[in-house]
Amino acid sequence: MDRAPFSAAVREQLGDSGWLDRSEIDAALVDFRGVFTGEAVGMARPASTDEVAEVVRLCIEHDVAIVTQGGNTGLSGGAIPTDTVTADERPRIIVSLTRMREVEDMNIARGTITAQAGVTIEELQQRAADVDRLFAPDWGARGTATLGGAVSTNAGGINVVKHGNMREHVLGLEVVLADGRVWDGLRSLPKDNSGFDLKQLFISGEGTIGIVTRAVVRIHPRPALQRIAFVALESLGTLNDLMAMARTTSPGALSAIELIPEVGVKQVVERFGVQRPLDSAAEWYVLIRFDSMQDGVDGGDRVDDDLTELLASAVSAHLITDGVVAATDAQEANLWLMRDELTATRSFGGFGVKYDLAIPPDRIAEFIGRAESLVDGIVPGALSFAFGHVGDGNLHFTVLTPDRDDALLERAAPELLGSLDQLVWEFDGTISAEHGLGRELRERIAGQKSDVELDLMRSIKRALDPDERFNPGVMLPGRHS
Ligand code: MLT
Ligand code: ZN
C-alpha cells in the first residue's frame, strides 16, 4: 500500500504535530528494557478524543491496524507492535496518547479526578497531594507511566495491599471504539448497577477492544504521615506470621509490605554506593509501611509506637532477627531504593526469565522453595531472585545467570518457562498479576484458562473489534493455542 495518502490524511486532520513518520519513531518501537521490538509505518499523536476517533475512522478507511501506546513502560510488550509487517499483512501505526495530558477536573466532594489518558501517574499523585488527597496507584515507573496505560493493564504496585489496583480506582471511562464511535462512560458513581459494567472490559483490555481516552479515578484522604521499617526475616517460613502480625498490630495502618532478597540488597548497595540498611545480613528482608491518618504529634507518636511494637513482638516471636524504623527522610529514601531498584534486569543486565506471578499469599515460602529447586534442576547455578508485593501474593520472580553466558539461560528458557508456569498453576496462581499479558504471555496464558474462558474472551474481542484492528498479536492466544 502507498502510505502517503494515509499519513497525509492524518496530517490534514491532526496537523503536522499529529503525525510522525517511521524515521522519527525508533524509540517507540522498542520497550524500555529492549526486550520487545517491532515495526509500524508511523505514529499518530491525537490531542483530543475527537482526534483519536478521527484516526480510528481513517484507519478503517485505509485498512490500517492500531497499537495504542502511553508511556511505554510496560513489561509485557503490549504497547509495542509485533515484529514484522509482511507484504500481505495490514500496515499498523502507533497511536500515542501522550499529547492528551490534561487534568480536567478535581472534585474533592466526590473524591475524584477526571483526566486525559496521557497524564502521568506521578502528575495525578502530585495533583491529589496539592489538595491534601492521595492518588494511591504507585510503582517505580510513576514518572512516565500514563493513566491510559495503567487502566489498560489494570496496573498494581506497592499500595495495592491497602487501596487495590487500578480497577478499584476507576469510576468512569471514555473509550474510542473500533468503529470510531466514542463511548462516554465518564460517570463518577460509586454505585451503578444499570446493566453490564462495561468499563471493566476496557480495564485490563490492553488496548485490544478500545482506546481509553479519559477516566474518572478515585482519590482518598491523604495519610498525615507514613513510617517504614526494614526487617530481616528469621527465615522465609516466618513471612506469613509476620504479615498477619503487621495487619493486626495496628488495624488499617499497613499500606505496603514488600519482600526483598539479600541478593537484591547487595546489588543495590554496590551499585548505588549506599549503606546497608541493617548491620546484620539475612537471606530475606521485608519492607513494611504504616500510615497514620491522624495529624500532629499524637499521630506521629502512635505510628512510631505501633511499628516499634511490631518489631519487638516479631523479634520475641522469632519471626525476625533484626529491624530498623526509618527516622529521617534520607533513611526512608535509602530503604525505598532497596525496593525500587530491584527490577532485576535493570540491576543485573543481560537476559533474564522474568515472572509477574501471583499465588495465594499464605503459600509464598512454599512456592519460592519449590521454584528455586525447579530452577536448579534445569539450569544448575542459575540465580533465582524473588521480590515484590507479598501482601497481594504478587512475586516478581526472575532467573538470571550473573557473570555467565546468557546463551545457556536462553537455551533453557522454554523448559524453564513451561515448568514454572505449571508450578504457578499447581499453586492456584496466575502468571500475570499486574503487568498484563501483552505479547509475552499471549500464547502461554492458554495453559491457565479453560476453553470456556478463552471462548468468552474471544467472543468479547469479536463483538467489540470484529475487524481485529486494535493491538494485533496481543493478549488473546492464537486460534489454535
Ligand atoms: C515493580 O514492582 O517494581 C514492577 O512491577 C517492576 C518489576 O516487576 O520489575
Ligand atoms: Zn510490581
Side-chain angles (χ1 to χ4, degrees):
M1 163 189 151
D2 178 7
R3 321 266 183 252
F6 175 74
S7 49
V10 177
R11 273 212 175 90
E12 195 182 313
Q13 296 297 326
L14 272 56
D16 276 347
S17 42
W19 176 258
L20 296 177
D21 284 324
R22 168 63 188 86
S23 58
E24 300 167 278
I25 63 166
D26 282 351
L29 294 172
V30 57
D31 70 301
F32 79 99
R33 292 184 300 157
V35 174
F36 303 97
T37 54
E39 272 307 329
V41 299
M43 178 192 277
R45 302 173 68 237
S48 68
T49 302
D50 284 348
E51 288 191 356
V52 175
E54 190 53 48
V55 170
V56 172
R57 285 194 287 270
L58 288 172
C59 286
I60 296 169
E61 199 180 307
H62 293 257
D63 200 24
V64 169
I66 293 173
V67 176
T68 308
Q69 198 175 84
N72 196 9
T73 59
L75 289 152
S76 305
I80 302 293
T82 41
D83 276 327
T84 49
V85 184
T86 56
D88 57 341
E89 240 181 313
R90 238 183 209 160
R92 64 203 66 176
I93 60 162
I94 292 179
V95 172
S96 166
L97 295 199
T98 49
R99 283 179 75 211
M100 290 185 60
R101 48 185 320 153
E102 262 181 49
V103 173
E104 297 178 337
D105 183 51
M106 309 269 312
N107 192 321
I108 297 177
R110 293 181 188 169
T112 58
I113 301 181
T114 305
Q116 294 182 334
V119 174
T120 64
I121 297 303
E122 191 166 59
E123 181 166 357
L124 291 169
Q125 292 172 347
Q126 191 51 54
R127 295 293 288 265
D130 290 347
V131 291
D132 201 25
R133 292 294 183 277
L134 174 77
F135 177 65
D138 190 33
W139 54 92
R142 61 186 73 81
T144 315
T146 61
L147 174 60
V151 169
S152 298
T153 53
N154 186 26
I158 48 195
N159 288 335
V160 174
V161 71
K162 180 162 184 181
H163 293 289
N165 46 27
M166 277 309 291
R167 201 179 289 289
E168 276 78 41
H169 289 83
V170 176
L171 289 175
L173 282 185
E174 178 189 78
V175 181
V176 175
L177 304 172
D179 57 9
R181 286 182 302 166
V182 177
W183 173 53
D184 180 354
L186 276 179
R187 293 182 278 265
S188 55
L189 303 170
K191 289 183 172 180
D192 178 9
N193 279 351
S194 56
F196 291 127
D197 190 356
L198 295 174
K199 66 178 178 294
Q200 302 299 350
L201 292 176
F202 300 100
I203 302 171
S204 80
E206 301 191 39
T208 60
I209 51 173
I211 302 176
V212 172
T213 43
R214 294 197 283 164
V216 182
V217 290
R218 285 178 198 270
I219 47 178
H220 300 283
R222 201 155 81 106
L225 52 94
Q226 301 183 315
R227 288 275 192 276
I228 60 171
F230 189 89
V231 302
L233 283 182
E234 175 92 36
S235 76
L236 197 54
T238 63
L239 177 64
N240 276 344
D241 288 345
L242 180 68
M243 289 202 287
M245 200 179 259
R247 285 178 204 274
T248 50
T249 299
S250 184
L254 181 68
S255 64
I257 183 154
E258 298 281 320
L259 182 70
I260 298 173
E262 165 60 22
V263 60
V265 169
K266 196 162 162 283
Q267 274 296 322
V268 176
V269 166
E270 277 169 15
R271 193 152 162 249
F272 293 88
V274 289
Q275 261 199 311
R276 288 189 70 84
L278 298 171
D279 292 335
S280 57
E283 212 180 332
W284 296 97
Y285 306 93
V286 177
L287 197 144
I288 301 167
R289 186 179 62 204
F290 274 8
D291 288 356
S292 169
M293 302 310 290
Q294 232 182 335
D295 241 336
V297 179
D298 280 0
D301 285 351
R302 169 90 55 87
V303 75
D304 283 337
D305 290 353
D306 286 349
L307 258 187
T308 310
E309 185 192 322
L310 171 68
L311 265 51
S313 311
V315 168
S316 308
H318 302 291
L319 305 181
I320 64 173
T321 53
D322 199 359
V324 63
V325 177
T328 63
D329 287 351
Q331 274 177 17
E332 193 159 301
N334 189 22
L335 292 183
W336 272 121
L337 196 70
M338 300 296 145
R339 170 57 197 74
D340 275 351
E341 289 302 326
L342 283 185
T343 289
T345 40
R346 221 191 290 163
S347 301
F348 292 84
F351 178 84
V353 164
K354 182 172 168 66
Y355 270 82
D356 163 42
L357 64 90
I359 52 166
D362 56 303
R363 300 188 71 189
I364 286 171
E366 190 192 346
F367 175 84
I368 291 179
R370 290 274 304 278
E372 282 180 346
S373 40
L374 190 150
V375 169
D376 221 32
I378 298 175
V379 194
L383 175 69
S384 308
F385 179 95
F387 69 96
H389 323 293
V390 280
D392 318 314
N394 181 188
L395 286 176
H396 300 309
F397 183 80
T398 304
V399 184
L400 300 155
T401 47
D403 311 322
R404 289 176 58 180
D405 186 2
D406 282 347
L408 173 71
L409 189 55
E410 275 188 86
R411 272 199 308 278
E415 187 187 353
L416 207 51
L417 293 171
S419 315
L420 282 168
D421 285 359
Q422 289 300 334
L423 186 69
V424 172
W425 299 327
E426 186 192 318
F427 274 70
D428 291 328
T430 177
I431 56 171
S432 176
E434 59 171 10
H435 296 168
L437 299 177
R439 281 163 55 179
E440 187 183 15
L441 301 180
R442 160 179 197 241
E443 298 298 337
R444 280 161 57 198
I445 200 65
Q448 184 179 313
K449 296 191 181 288
S450 69
D451 288 348
V452 173
E453 198 169 339
L454 290 173
D455 191 38
L456 288 173
M457 284 173 66
R458 288 191 179 112
S459 304
I460 290 166
K461 171 75 175 174
R462 264 197 308 276
L464 294 179
D465 182 20
D467 292 335
E468 303 195 18
R469 187 158 319 280
F470 286 154
N471 231 350
V474 161
M475 197 174 92
L476 287 158
R479 283 184 207 298
H480 305 295
S481 309

